[in-house]
Structure formats: C-alpha cells, structure tokens
Amino acid sequence: MSLQCGIVGLPNVGKSTLFNSLSNAKAQAANFPFCTIEPNVGVITVPDERLSRLAEIVNPGRIVPATVEIVDIAGLVKGASKGEGLGNQFLGNIRQTDAIIHVLRCFDDGNVVHVDGSVDPVRDKEIIDTELQLKDLETIESRIAKVEKLATMGGSKEAKVEYGVLKAYQEALLQGRSARTVQFETKDEQRAAHDLFLLTSKPVLYVCNVDEGSAKTGNQYVEAVRQAVKDEGAEILVIAARTEADIAELETYEERQMFLEDIGLEESGCNRLVKTAFSMLGLETFFTAGPMEVKAWTYRRGWKAPQCAGVIHTDFERGFIRAEVIKYDDYIRLGSEAAVREAGLLHVEGKEYEVQDGDIMHFRFNV
C-alpha cells in the first residue's frame, strides 16, 4: 500500500530540515525561498518495536518494516492559489498526497529570514489555509457550474447527491473553513465528497518547529497554535527540527538515546511524527512471520481478512478461503507458533473477520 504525506508550509520554516531528519535524504536546506522546487520524496520506516520482538523469536532471513512516503513540497506563499511563487505546481503536488504535515515556525532566530518579516505561526497557518481553501473553492465552483442543471432539472440521483455535497463545501469554504470540517451522513455523499480530492479535505498534522530548549515543553508560539486549531480536530506535534537533524547524524541507537536523554526526551520527534501520521491516516499493521522474513503489512483500520490478504497479493483476496490468526501477545508470551497451536490459541477466521492491529496472519487461498 503506497501512502504519501506532504510536508508543507511557508518558505524557511524548517520543512527541508525536517525532511532530511526523517528520511536521511539530503534535500537542499538554504536560507532563501524556493530552495526546493521539485518535491523531494523519502521512504521512511514506521517505528514498531513489535517487529523487532517477533524477529528475536523467529530469527528470520530479513526484517521488513511498514513504510510511509514523505514528500518535501516547496514553500507556498500568499497568492499561491493564483499561481504566485510557482503555486500551481506546488498545489498539484499536495493534491497527490494522502495527508498534510504543516510545518509552522515557532522559534526566533535573526539569522533565518522569514518571508513575511516576523515570526507569527498563527498568521502563517492562516496564509496556507487560505490559499488551499481558495483553490478548493475554485474547484467546487467549477464543478457546480457543470452539475447544477443535471441536479435541479435532469432528475439524476447522482447529480443531486453531488450538488448537495458541493453546496455544503462551498458554504464552508466561503466562511473560511476547510473541507475537512464538513461531515456527511450517507455513503453516497461520502463517496461524492471523496471523489472531489479537495486539498483541505486531507487530514492535517501541525508540526510546531521550535528551538532545542522548547522541544519538551513548547513555548508561547506553540500555545498560540494550540488555541488557533482547537476546533479543527487536528493533531499537533512539537519538534525541534535542527535537533532532530543532529540526532539523525548519529551512527548508533545508543548514541541517539543518550542524546535524547541529555535533552530530556524519551523518543525522537521524528519517530513520534511518523507514528502520528500513520495513525492519523487510519492505518494499522498486521504481521507475517516465518524463517524467510518477518514483515509488517499496512492496512486501513476496519478492513476484513480478505482485504488484508489482498495487501500481500491480489490472488490472496480473490481466492481467499480462511485466515489463521495469532494474537501478538500470545506469540510473545509462548515464544513460537508451535506453542501457540499447542495451547489452542491459533484462531481460524473467515471472510467477516475484522483484522486487529498486531495480528500475526497466515492466509489460505485457492485460485
């Protein structure tokens, strides 16, 4: 399952520094706008200690973690919705992602210029929000012009549903609210809403980029952001991107842990960000474990066994017979698949089984 999170924000807020920390790729990070023009893409692993514990028991030939793609999108500016600052290209890059990581500058540093001359993360957030909303409004109004007649005169059920969705989005956007704040009740409405691929319908994680001294407790800028987004239902994460870049340069796990302890943190901000983004997208993990490999597989929360089988191979879903399921805790406690079987704790499940996070799965199929 290929999933992408796009890193966005104004120029010089720390997007590329954060991207480098996440992916260990070396995107150019410089003190001037539009340093990043083509989006940099990094494939990063999802930290999961369960994978390591399974590998200790199974001793496989290889370990394959779950991954998420992170896209470093160039800095947006006021007027991007009208093409300012290469805006159309950047907005197109955002449209292709599954979720948005919105980086806000929450630190003072006279040596790093701000495109608007002063540090104000709430103002910066509103600039980006407005540009995305304006682009969505343009999309909505163009679509309304095409379906209005069909909906009001043609008697098409699908057109009526879509028109209702479009009008609800239009009202929200004209009020300065993002599309994600609008909820729909029926499956037909939800399908019509999804098919519009609006920029502001994507889930968003606000990353407050702070100085090292504020990495644990935050600062006045972070509190201002918390107040500004409290009604959005969005996630907020506090990260010192420069510090994360220093941590990423360290060679060993032990060195990184010592560094974190020295600054009073239990886990790196990058690890927290990846886990939060994974959860924000409604994703969970099941495992396969054998002598060849122990592997983490990504699926959407609520999927049933055949759908998860299809993540491995489409033939597995098409010819699904049953799933053999071991609970992670049972596997770790008893120490082997054979011991789990002997204890009668291997469960045989059918097509209606809803896969649970951490399940160890073996699929039976026939095509």
Side-chain angles (χ1 to χ4, degrees), residues 121-137:
V122 174
R123 176 204 60 206
D124 295 353
K125 170 196 171 305
E126 290 172 351
I127 289 172
I128 299 292
D129 284 351
T130 298
E131 294 307 320
L132 299 183
Q133 289 165 7
L134 287 171
K135 196 65 179 178
D136 278 350
L137 189 59

Side-chain angles (χ1 to χ4, degrees), residues 21-179:
S21 306
L22 285 165
S23 65
N24 286 327
K26 299 304 174 188
Q28 186 185 8
N31 186 21
F32 55 87
F34 308 119
C35 168
T36 306
I37 296 177
E38 292 300 325
N40 297 289
V41 180
V43 179
I44 57 176
T45 60
V46 179
D48 194 331
E49 63 180 18
R50 296 173 301 180
L51 195 65
S52 301
R53 294 194 67 188
L54 285 172
E56 288 172 6
I57 293 173
V58 178
N59 192 27
R62 62 175 184 164
I63 304 169
V64 185
T67 61
V68 175
E69 284 188 0
I70 300 290
V71 186
D72 178 25
I73 296 167
L76 294 170
V77 294
K78 193 180 295 183
S81 60
K82 302 300 181 186
E84 292 293 329
L86 303 179
N88 289 329
Q89 179 181 338
F90 301 161
L91 291 168
N93 293 332
I94 296 171
R95 198 178 300 280
Q96 295 170 24
T97 65
D98 298 289
I100 293 171
I101 298 170
H102 187 163
V103 181
L104 298 167
R105 176 173 170 175
C106 295
F107 65 88
D108 292 307
D109 187 340
N111 294 318
V112 180
V113 297
H114 190 290
V115 71
D116 283 327
S118 62
V119 178
D120 185 342
V122 174
R123 176 204 60 206
D124 295 353
K125 170 196 171 305
E126 290 172 351
I127 289 172
I128 299 292
D129 284 351
T130 298
E131 294 307 320
L132 299 183
Q133 289 165 7
L134 287 171
K135 196 65 179 178
D136 278 350
L137 189 59
E138 181 184 305
T139 300
I140 290 294
E141 292 182 340
S142 173
R143 190 65 193 158
I144 284 175
K146 293 178 181 177
V147 302
E148 187 169 13
K149 269 190 180 179
L150 282 173
T152 56
M153 298 173 63
S156 166
K157 180 185 174 183
E158 291 80 7
K160 286 180 180 178
V161 170
E162 183 179 355
Y163 184 69
V165 167
L166 290 167
K167 293 300 286 184
Y169 275 147
Q170 183 186 44
E171 181 181 354
L173 291 164
L174 287 171
Q175 293 172 358
R177 294 188 292 120
S178 293

Side-chain angles (χ1 to χ4, degrees), residues 164 212 230:
E212 184 175 305
K230 63 182 180 181

